[in-house]
Amino acid sequence: MERIRCLEAVYDELAGCAVVTIMGAVAVELYSLGHRPNFFYLEHAMGLASSMGLGIALSQPERKVVVLDGDGSVLMNLGGLTTLARYAPGNLTHIVFDNQSLLSVGGFPTATATGSDLAGIAKAAGVANARTVTDLESFRAAAVEAIAAPELACLVAKVEPVGPKSFHMDLHMLENRFEFQRYLRPDAPDPQGAPP
């Protein structure tokens, strides 16, 4: 299963959510499908996408929040899973693409390549709705269900260690930051065109 196919499969579901991605391949591939004002590509902060998503989810409980993460990033901040479980916002879905490597920095294997189970770790941390999927159909069904459900969910998708041909994005970090900040305002226009 390729990560970009997973992103394509849930792209429409992300339209009404605040979406935070980790840096690297996840961000570039989502951007390649079409940027939206509700997408924030967290650069230079590996491991902290779930922390940022948690902050948004807690401060805006009426808003659905989706974090698109990677196995290397989650492993860098394993304590983030315990914090997610502690506060358990029902409007947060944490999707982790596990390609068993640090693809964006050379493809070095991560601990999941030798058996660490991120969904198992999330469950042990206290995230009741945590599971692993290995095929596209199961991923789409699980992601749609998790985003719609009123509970914290952690979905680990096993994906191939392939990424984009280039990691270049022609969106300046500051532009993305201010645009996303405006999107989060209570009176912000709907990215789908509906009036506030």
Side-chain angles (χ1 to χ4, degrees):
M1 174 165 67
E2 292 183 17
R3 179 183 43 249
I4 192 159
R5 301 296 165 237
C6 294
L7 292 170
E8 284 175 343
V10 297
Y11 184 78
D12 290 341
E13 303 299 323
L14 302 177
C17 306
V19 179
V20 179
T21 79
I22 194 55
M23 60 191 199
V26 177
V28 172
E29 289 181 346
L30 181 64
Y31 181 75
S32 76
L33 296 175
H35 173 67
R36 292 176 173 155
N38 56 314
F39 293 170
F40 184 73
Y41 315 100
L42 183 62
E43 300 289 338
H44 308 299
M46 189 171 180
L48 298 177
S50 64
S51 301
M52 183 172 175
L54 175 62
I56 296 168
L58 291 174
S59 65
Q60 298 191 351
E62 74 291 345
R63 186 185 299 278
K64 290 285 186 181
V65 180
V66 176
V67 172
L68 301 173
D69 220 334
D71 54 311
S73 176
V74 171
L75 289 165
M76 185 170 278
N77 181 24
L78 274 178
L81 292 175
T82 62
T83 307
L84 290 181
R86 178 176 183 180
Y87 293 101
N91 57 332
L92 177 60
T93 301
H94 188 200
I95 296 174
V96 182
F97 294 109
D98 181 3
N99 62 11
Q100 303 183 351
S101 71
L102 293 167
L103 184 68
S104 302
V105 292
F108 308 103
T110 67
T112 63
T114 55
S116 294
D117 173 4
L118 293 177
I121 293 170
K123 278 190 177 181
V127 180
N129 186 3
R131 62 177 159 163
T132 299
V133 293
T134 58
D135 66 84
L136 187 58
E137 187 175 321
S138 298
F139 169 78
R140 187 181 190 299
V144 169
E145 180 184 323
I147 292 168
E151 68 173 332
L152 172 65
C154 179
L155 178 62
V156 178
K158 290 289 193 177
V159 295
E160 297 172 31
V162 295
K165 292 180 180 168
S166 167
F167 285 87
H168 175 73
M169 294 171 58
D170 63 352
L171 177 66
H172 195 283
M173 287 189 307
L174 284 178
E175 182 180 353
N176 185 214
R177 173 185 160 191
F178 291 127
E179 181 182 49
F180 188 66
Q181 190 176 34
R182 284 190 297 272
Y183 166 77
L184 292 177
R185 291 180 184 161
D187 60 346
D190 186 306
Q192 299 301 307

mmCIF file of all heavy atoms in Angstrom, residues 117-144:
data_model
loop_
_atom_site.group_PDB
_atom_site.id
_atom_site.type_symbol
_atom_site.label_atom_id
_atom_site.label_comp_id
_atom_site.label_asym_id
_atom_site.label_seq_id
_atom_site.Cartn_x
_atom_site.Cartn_y
_atom_site.Cartn_z
ATOM 1 N N ASP A 117 5.313 -2.229 17.615
ATOM 2 C CA ASP A 117 3.932 -2.141 17.148
ATOM 3 C C ASP A 117 3.334 -0.818 17.643
ATOM 4 O O ASP A 117 2.984 -0.692 18.826
ATOM 5 C CB ASP A 117 3.158 -3.340 17.699
ATOM 6 C CG ASP A 117 1.662 -3.279 17.430
ATOM 7 O OD1 ASP A 117 1.192 -2.336 16.748
ATOM 8 O OD2 ASP A 117 0.945 -4.174 17.917
ATOM 9 N N LEU A 118 3.224 0.165 16.758
ATOM 10 C CA LEU A 118 2.766 1.488 17.185
ATOM 11 C C LEU A 118 1.317 1.488 17.671
ATOM 12 O O LEU A 118 0.993 2.192 18.632
ATOM 13 C CB LEU A 118 2.954 2.504 16.065
ATOM 14 C CG LEU A 118 4.416 2.819 15.715
ATOM 15 C CD1 LEU A 118 4.496 3.788 14.536
ATOM 16 C CD2 LEU A 118 5.147 3.386 16.921
ATOM 17 N N ALA A 119 0.445 0.720 17.030
ATOM 18 C CA ALA A 119 -0.944 0.648 17.514
ATOM 19 C C ALA A 119 -0.966 -0.011 18.894
ATOM 20 O O ALA A 119 -1.721 0.405 19.780
ATOM 21 C CB ALA A 119 -1.821 -0.116 16.531
ATOM 22 N N GLY A 120 -0.144 -1.016 19.096
ATOM 23 C CA GLY A 120 -0.048 -1.671 20.402
ATOM 24 C C GLY A 120 0.473 -0.703 21.463
ATOM 25 O O GLY A 120 -0.009 -0.698 22.604
ATOM 26 N N ILE A 121 1.454 0.099 21.096
ATOM 27 C CA ILE A 121 2.002 1.088 22.033
ATOM 28 C C ILE A 121 0.926 2.120 22.366
ATOM 29 O O ILE A 121 0.758 2.510 23.525
ATOM 30 C CB ILE A 121 3.254 1.755 21.437
ATOM 31 C CG1 ILE A 121 4.392 0.732 21.320
ATOM 32 C CG2 ILE A 121 3.704 2.945 22.277
ATOM 33 C CD1 ILE A 121 5.606 1.225 20.524
ATOM 34 N N ALA A 122 0.181 2.573 21.340
ATOM 35 C CA ALA A 122 -0.893 3.550 21.584
ATOM 36 C C ALA A 122 -1.950 2.967 22.521
ATOM 37 O O ALA A 122 -2.405 3.634 23.444
ATOM 38 C CB ALA A 122 -1.520 3.988 20.257
ATOM 39 N N LYS A 123 -2.319 1.715 22.293
ATOM 40 C CA LYS A 123 -3.301 1.071 23.184
ATOM 41 C C LYS A 123 -2.764 0.983 24.605
ATOM 42 O O LYS A 123 -3.477 1.273 25.573
ATOM 43 C CB LYS A 123 -3.644 -0.337 22.671
ATOM 44 C CG LYS A 123 -4.679 -0.339 21.590
ATOM 45 C CD LYS A 123 -5.154 -1.746 21.288
ATOM 46 C CE LYS A 123 -6.254 -1.683 20.241
ATOM 47 N NZ LYS A 123 -6.798 -2.980 19.900
ATOM 48 N N ALA A 124 -1.525 0.576 24.733
ATOM 49 C CA ALA A 124 -0.929 0.461 26.065
ATOM 50 C C ALA A 124 -0.828 1.823 26.744
ATOM 51 O O ALA A 124 -0.858 1.917 27.974
ATOM 52 C CB ALA A 124 0.447 -0.193 25.960
ATOM 53 N N ALA A 125 -0.728 2.883 25.933
ATOM 54 C CA ALA A 125 -0.682 4.245 26.488
ATOM 55 C C ALA A 125 -2.063 4.706 26.936
ATOM 56 O O ALA A 125 -2.167 5.685 27.668
ATOM 57 C CB ALA A 125 -0.115 5.216 25.452
ATOM 58 N N GLY A 126 -3.116 4.022 26.447
ATOM 59 C CA GLY A 126 -4.458 4.389 26.855
ATOM 60 C C GLY A 126 -5.377 4.849 25.743
ATOM 61 O O GLY A 126 -6.500 5.295 25.999
ATOM 62 N N VAL A 127 -4.926 4.756 24.499
ATOM 63 C CA VAL A 127 -5.788 5.110 23.362
ATOM 64 C C VAL A 127 -6.606 3.861 23.016
ATOM 65 O O VAL A 127 -6.089 2.921 22.408
ATOM 66 C CB VAL A 127 -4.967 5.576 22.139
ATOM 67 C CG1 VAL A 127 -5.898 5.943 20.981
ATOM 68 C CG2 VAL A 127 -4.073 6.759 22.500
ATOM 69 N N ALA A 128 -7.863 3.856 23.428
ATOM 70 C CA ALA A 128 -8.685 2.647 23.276
ATOM 71 C C ALA A 128 -8.905 2.281 21.814
ATOM 72 O O ALA A 128 -8.878 1.105 21.445
ATOM 73 C CB ALA A 128 -10.021 2.848 23.983
ATOM 74 N N ASN A 129 -9.113 3.280 20.970
ATOM 75 C CA ASN A 129 -9.381 3.024 19.553
ATOM 76 C C ASN A 129 -8.087 3.172 18.761
ATOM 77 O O ASN A 129 -7.832 4.208 18.155
ATOM 78 C CB ASN A 129 -10.453 3.975 19.027
ATOM 79 C CG ASN A 129 -10.862 3.658 17.597
ATOM 80 O OD1 ASN A 129 -10.392 2.682 17.004
ATOM 81 N ND2 ASN A 129 -11.721 4.488 17.037
ATOM 82 N N ALA A 130 -7.265 2.150 18.803
ATOM 83 C CA ALA A 130 -5.998 2.140 18.060
ATOM 84 C C ALA A 130 -5.899 0.827 17.313
ATOM 85 O O ALA A 130 -6.157 -0.240 17.875
ATOM 86 C CB ALA A 130 -4.816 2.287 19.015
ATOM 87 N N ARG A 131 -5.596 0.933 16.042
ATOM 88 C CA ARG A 131 -5.459 -0.299 15.265
ATOM 89 C C ARG A 131 -4.549 -0.094 14.065
ATOM 90 O O ARG A 131 -4.245 1.040 13.683
ATOM 91 C CB ARG A 131 -6.810 -0.815 14.822
ATOM 92 C CG ARG A 131 -7.572 0.113 13.904
ATOM 93 C CD ARG A 131 -8.868 -0.561 13.494
ATOM 94 N NE ARG A 131 -9.839 0.416 13.052
ATOM 95 C CZ ARG A 131 -10.908 0.095 12.349
ATOM 96 N NH1 ARG A 131 -11.130 -1.144 12.011
ATOM 97 N NH2 ARG A 131 -11.762 1.027 11.982
ATOM 98 N N THR A 132 -4.168 -1.222 13.457
ATOM 99 C CA THR A 132 -3.283 -1.222 12.291
ATOM 100 C C THR A 132 -4.042 -1.763 11.096
ATOM 101 O O THR A 132 -4.794 -2.732 11.218
ATOM 102 C CB THR A 132 -2.045 -2.106 12.558
ATOM 103 O OG1 THR A 132 -1.335 -1.574 13.671
ATOM 104 C CG2 THR A 132 -1.123 -2.138 11.347
ATOM 105 N N VAL A 133 -3.834 -1.127 9.937
ATOM 106 C CA VAL A 133 -4.415 -1.625 8.693
ATOM 107 C C VAL A 133 -3.289 -1.824 7.678
ATOM 108 O O VAL A 133 -2.260 -1.133 7.732
ATOM 109 C CB VAL A 133 -5.483 -0.672 8.125
ATOM 110 C CG1 VAL A 133 -6.696 -0.627 9.042
ATOM 111 C CG2 VAL A 133 -4.924 0.720 7.906
ATOM 112 N N THR A 134 -3.511 -2.752 6.752
ATOM 113 C CA THR A 134 -2.450 -3.079 5.798
ATOM 114 C C THR A 134 -2.886 -3.027 4.343
ATOM 115 O O THR A 134 -2.078 -3.294 3.459
ATOM 116 C CB THR A 134 -1.885 -4.485 6.101
ATOM 117 O OG1 THR A 134 -2.955 -5.433 6.023
ATOM 118 C CG2 THR A 134 -1.232 -4.542 7.474
ATOM 119 N N ASP A 135 -4.161 -2.730 4.091
ATOM 120 C CA ASP A 135 -4.590 -2.612 2.692
ATOM 121 C C ASP A 135 -5.438 -1.353 2.530
ATOM 122 O O ASP A 135 -5.994 -0.834 3.499
ATOM 123 C CB ASP A 135 -5.354 -3.851 2.220
ATOM 124 C CG ASP A 135 -6.673 -4.019 2.941
ATOM 125 O OD1 ASP A 135 -7.666 -3.403 2.528
ATOM 126 O OD2 ASP A 135 -6.707 -4.758 3.947
ATOM 127 N N LEU A 136 -5.504 -0.874 1.291
ATOM 128 C CA LEU A 136 -6.115 0.424 1.014
ATOM 129 C C LEU A 136 -7.589 0.477 1.383
ATOM 130 O O LEU A 136 -8.060 1.459 1.944
ATOM 131 C CB LEU A 136 -5.912 0.783 -0.463
ATOM 132 C CG LEU A 136 -6.353 2.183 -0.881
ATOM 133 C CD1 LEU A 136 -5.632 3.257 -0.076
ATOM 134 C CD2 LEU A 136 -6.104 2.389 -2.375
ATOM 135 N N GLU A 137 -8.330 -0.561 1.061
ATOM 136 C CA GLU A 137 -9.761 -0.570 1.355
ATOM 137 C C GLU A 137 -9.999 -0.481 2.864
ATOM 138 O O GLU A 137 -10.847 0.276 3.333
ATOM 139 C CB GLU A 137 -10.402 -1.837 0.780
ATOM 140 C CG GLU A 137 -11.905 -1.851 0.879
ATOM 141 C CD GLU A 137 -12.513 -3.059 0.183
ATOM 142 O OE1 GLU A 137 -12.015 -3.434 -0.906
ATOM 143 O OE2 GLU A 137 -13.467 -3.616 0.730
ATOM 144 N N SER A 138 -9.229 -1.253 3.620
ATOM 145 C CA SER A 138 -9.368 -1.220 5.085
ATOM 146 C C SER A 138 -8.947 0.136 5.622
ATOM 147 O O SER A 138 -9.560 0.660 6.562
ATOM 148 C CB SER A 138 -8.502 -2.308 5.726
ATOM 149 O OG SER A 138 -8.916 -3.576 5.310
ATOM 150 N N PHE A 139 -7.902 0.718 5.025
ATOM 151 C CA PHE A 139 -7.455 2.035 5.478
ATOM 152 C C PHE A 139 -8.560 3.061 5.299
ATOM 153 O O PHE A 139 -8.884 3.810 6.213
ATOM 154 C CB PHE A 139 -6.203 2.491 4.719
ATOM 155 C CG PHE A 139 -5.886 3.937 4.977
ATOM 156 C CD1 PHE A 139 -5.275 4.339 6.154
ATOM 157 C CD2 PHE A 139 -6.255 4.918 4.052
ATOM 158 C CE1 PHE A 139 -5.037 5.677 6.421
ATOM 159 C CE2 PHE A 139 -6.010 6.259 4.304
ATOM 160 C CZ PHE A 139 -5.400 6.640 5.494
ATOM 161 N N ARG A 140 -9.126 3.106 4.089
ATOM 162 C CA ARG A 140 -10.154 4.117 3.822
ATOM 163 C C ARG A 140 -11.331 3.970 4.780
ATOM 164 O O ARG A 140 -11.789 4.946 5.372
ATOM 165 C CB ARG A 140 -10.640 4.054 2.378
ATOM 166 C CG ARG A 140 -11.573 5.212 2.064
ATOM 167 C CD ARG A 140 -12.134 5.230 0.673
ATOM 168 N NE ARG A 140 -12.828 6.468 0.383
ATOM 169 C CZ ARG A 140 -13.901 6.937 1.033
ATOM 170 N NH1 ARG A 140 -14.408 6.287 2.051
ATOM 171 N NH2 ARG A 140 -14.456 8.088 0.692
ATOM 172 N N ALA A 141 -11.807 2.726 4.930
ATOM 173 C CA ALA A 141 -12.955 2.493 5.813
ATOM 174 C C ALA A 141 -12.631 2.899 7.247
ATOM 175 O O ALA A 141 -13.435 3.564 7.923
ATOM 176 C CB ALA A 141 -13.369 1.026 5.747
ATOM 177 N N ALA A 142 -11.455 2.531 7.718
ATOM 178 C CA ALA A 142 -11.075 2.837 9.107
ATOM 179 C C ALA A 142 -10.868 4.333 9.306
ATOM 180 O O ALA A 142 -11.252 4.891 10.338
ATOM 181 C CB ALA A 142 -9.808 2.063 9.476
ATOM 182 N N ALA A 143 -10.276 4.999 8.317
ATOM 183 C CA ALA A 143 -10.019 6.438 8.442
ATOM 184 C C ALA A 143 -11.329 7.217 8.423
ATOM 185 O O ALA A 143 -11.527 8.126 9.246
ATOM 186 C CB ALA A 143 -9.094 6.905 7.318
ATOM 187 N N VAL A 144 -12.222 6.877 7.524
ATOM 188 C CA VAL A 144 -13.517 7.574 7.455
ATOM 189 C C VAL A 144 -14.279 7.378 8.760
ATOM 190 O O VAL A 144 -14.840 8.327 9.323
ATOM 191 C CB VAL A 144 -14.341 7.064 6.243
ATOM 192 C CG1 VAL A 144 -15.777 7.568 6.303
ATOM 193 C CG2 VAL A 144 -13.674 7.494 4.938
#
